[in-house]
Amino acid sequence: MCDVTHSDPSTHPHLEASLQTPKASLQTPSTDSLETTPPEETSSPGMSLLVVGAGFTGSVLCKILRTSAPALALNVWEKSRGIGGRQAVKRDGDLTCDMGTQYITCFREDERFKKYVKELKAIDVIQRLEGKIVDAPPRFSGDCKHYVARHGMNSTSKYFMSGTTVHFQKKVASLKVHDKRIEVCNDEGRRSFFDGMIFTIPAPQLLDIDMDGKMSEEVRENIRKIEFTPRFTAIMQFDYVPEFDWTLKYYRNDIISFTGWDNIKRMHGMEIVFHYLLLSISYAKSFRK
């Protein structure tokens, strides 16, 4: 086996929970509790696979692989300090506020993902979104259910990733494909060998990696057409619960894109209420000039 593939979702401010492949404690696993190993992790005699990226896609993928291929030597490289990717969570002591993904959506016809939603619900990692969503895009107001995480949206990724070897602040710089193995070099110049790789990072980030000529110019040109869109987020803190008849609200103007009452949507930590404000792409782009 010698394979390099890529997968990347769109996750902001909602997460469309649709897979394109694949009584417990209330405590969700923290990144500190995840197993880590030194650079010799690829010395296992079994088949080894490197997953690049520990966001929601990478985490669900690892859950599937641990179940379907338990003998696989599975490793994850994540360039940041934690799990969750765009499920960014702001923490202040025991209080949390979702700054990235606000909720996940499970559609009625999505049979593959329903079992994972059921699993997350069974151990109280997620719950139904409380309150009213105003002016949501049509596809998210139909036959679907929305869920939020009591301890922050990245707790869903942490749960799926638990039991997987994760190496933080480890970024792929280059790869070289040999006859049967892939030599992967990180940004510190250290090398490891794997039988296969799966990228779950945003596609434009692939252009920063030396692919040893394995990515055609046509593919590179198509990736160059993908543009990162800037966003500004703001959090306001209240020591009382404001009176509104909605929990989350979408806007269609040049400044505000989305806003919501973070604690109210999951009915948690109501002694202090966080209001989340996502500014529009056009407004953020104006600061580039």
Side-chain angles (χ1 to χ4, degrees):
M1 173 183 177
C2 184
D3 188 25
V4 181
T5 60
H6 171 259
S7 177
D8 174 45
S10 177
T11 64
H12 200 72
H14 61 268
L15 185 90
E16 182 174 345
S18 178
L19 297 180
Q20 300 304 316
T21 58
K23 188 158 182 174
S25 170
L26 295 180
Q27 280 296 107
T28 54
S30 68
T31 55
D32 294 331
S33 67
L34 294 176
E35 177 186 2
T36 58
T37 57
E40 292 78 14
E41 75 271 14
T42 58
S43 60
S44 171
M47 183 174 291
S48 61
L49 178 70
L50 174 64
V51 174
V52 182
F56 188 80
T57 300
S59 299
V60 175
L61 173 63
C62 288
K63 168 72 172 179
I64 295 172
L65 291 172
R66 288 198 315 272
T67 303
S68 60
L72 184 68
L74 182 61
N75 289 269
V76 177
W77 286 12
E78 167 55 46
K79 70 175 184 177
S80 72
R81 294 179 296 175
I83 290 173
R86 283 168 281 184
Q87 293 179 321
V89 176
K90 177 68 174 179
R91 300 186 183 277
D92 183 7
D94 294 332
L95 301 175
T96 62
C97 181
D98 292 317
M99 292 189 66
T101 302
Q102 292 294 302
Y103 57 90
I104 60 175
T105 300
C106 187
F107 295 91
R108 183 176 62 86
E109 66 274 13
D110 195 350
E111 296 295 334
R112 289 177 295 179
F113 195 72
K114 282 182 180 178
K115 64 178 182 179
Y116 296 105
V117 170
K118 183 178 180 180
E119 184 175 344
L120 290 171
K121 288 172 59 181
I123 60 172
D124 291 329
V125 173
I126 63 172
Q127 62 192 47
R128 286 289 297 273
L129 189 154
E130 300 289 345
K132 179 181 178 182
I133 303 178
V134 178
D135 292 332
R139 61 176 177 156
F140 298 112
S141 57
D143 195 358
C144 58
K145 295 180 180 179
H146 307 301
Y147 297 91
V148 295
R150 187 175 181 84
H151 298 287
M153 290 304 301
N154 64 0
S155 63
T156 60
S157 292
K158 290 180 180 180
Y159 171 76
F160 287 132
M161 191 64 83
S162 60
T164 303
T165 303
V166 181
H167 301 269
F168 299 108
Q169 295 182 296
K170 202 164 187 179
K171 182 179 179 180
V172 176
S174 65
L175 61 88
K176 184 181 290 292
V177 180
H178 299 285
D179 288 341
K180 294 183 178 179
R181 305 207 80 192
I182 305 172
E183 177 185 343
V184 185
C185 184
N186 68 10
D187 54 355
E188 295 180 345
R190 304 182 70 178
R191 292 177 171 79
S192 299
F193 291 82
F194 301 92
D195 296 303
M197 295 179 67
I198 300 179
F199 289 93
T200 66
I201 60 179
Q205 293 181 10
L206 294 172
L207 298 177
D208 297 330
I209 301 173
D210 180 356
M211 294 284 188
D212 190 31
K214 299 303 179 181
M215 182 185 293
S216 69
E217 184 56 37
E218 180 182 2
V219 172
R220 297 182 69 86
E221 186 59 34
N222 286 332
I223 292 178
R224 291 189 188 101
K225 297 176 183 178
I226 301 173
E227 180 185 11
F228 279 119
T229 54
R231 294 287 184 110
F232 290 113
T233 59
I235 297 176
M236 291 167 279
Q237 181 176 309
F238 295 81
D239 56 5
Y240 63 94
V241 180
E243 293 185 7
F244 286 88
D245 64 352
W246 52 268
T247 303
L248 303 175
K249 188 174 183 179
Y250 287 83
Y251 291 85
R252 295 175 178 83
N253 61 50
D254 294 334
I255 299 178
I256 302 174
S257 174
F258 177 85
T259 188
W261 299 101
D262 186 81
N263 310 63
I264 297 174
K265 75 178 182 184
R266 48 199 167 96
M267 301 302 294
H268 179 61
M270 299 300 291
E271 63 275 10
I272 295 179
V273 178
F274 289 114
H275 184 65
Y276 167 91
L277 189 69
L278 176 66
L279 302 182
S280 69
I281 295 174
S282 59
Y283 181 77
K285 282 185 175 181
S286 67
F287 285 84
R288 285 180 171 178
K289 300 177 181 179

